[in-house]
Amino acid sequence: MAAFRDIEEVSQGLLSLLGANRAEAQQRRLLGRHEQVVERLLETQDGAEESASLHPAEILTMEKEVAQNLLNAKEQVHQGGVELQQLETGLQEAGEEDAHLKAKLLQLTRELEELKEIEADLERQEKEVDEDTTVTIPSAVYVAQLYHQLLEWPQLSNQRESTYPCQACSFTSVARWDR
């Protein structure tokens, strides 16, 4: 410690010599830094003296605690590695399942589109059939009426006016004959 005090005295002396010089401000900053370094050195030296004053049993106990903490940390790292591996495996399996489900969804979407197209085609065909049926029904009624009148022709020749119900189409015909 005496050496540090000597260094400090020398530094003070240098500052007094350089007081008139322009480098005085720079020298003071350097001296301030030098003093900080010396203070840290003294603090470190005091901490080392305190550590050296510990009994060997206390040092051994501290070393055991540090070693146990190190072993615990290593075990935690190992457990973390195992958990990480499990998570990576789970993530890979989830990715594979996701890909499978996306493929299934794509297939079902295609099938749905096909069914929609088929449904639209069936609706179009039904509409065409309905239109054809609507056109066909009046024609069928007319044909039934004509058929009925033809069947009843011989009977009508003897009467002036009569009504005849049709058995096939529930149509009633009225015949008027003028002789």
Side-chain angles (χ1 to χ4, degrees), residues 131-150:
E131 289 173 0
D132 289 345
T133 304
T134 305
V135 173
T136 305
I137 289 176
S139 299
V141 169
Y142 179 72
V143 170
Q145 289 173 352
L146 285 177
Y147 181 72
H148 179 68
Q149 288 176 358
L150 288 174

Side-chain angles (χ1 to χ4, degrees), residues 92-132:
Q92 183 180 3
E93 290 172 357
E96 291 170 358
E97 184 177 353
D98 182 52
H100 174 70
L101 290 174
K102 283 182 180 179
K104 185 77 170 179
L105 178 64
L106 183 62
Q107 178 187 1
L108 291 173
T109 304
R110 287 179 186 155
E111 289 178 10
L112 178 63
E113 290 301 319
E114 289 175 7
L115 289 174
K116 283 181 180 179
E117 289 175 9
I118 291 171
E119 180 183 23
D121 189 44
L122 286 174
E123 286 177 359
R124 184 183 50 77
Q125 288 177 0
E126 285 178 4
K127 187 175 179 181
E128 289 175 2
V129 167
D130 287 344
E131 289 173 0
D132 289 345

Side-chain angles (χ1 to χ4, degrees), residues 50-86:
E50 287 177 18
S51 295
S53 68
L54 293 177
H55 292 54
E58 291 175 342
I59 293 174
L60 183 61
T61 303
M62 291 173 76
E63 286 177 352
K64 285 181 181 179
E65 289 177 7
V66 169
Q68 186 61 43
N69 288 340
L70 181 61
L71 289 175
N72 290 342
K74 284 184 178 182
E75 181 62 28
Q76 288 177 349
V77 167
H78 177 69
Q79 290 296 329
V82 169
E83 289 178 17
L84 178 63
Q85 183 65 31
Q86 291 172 347

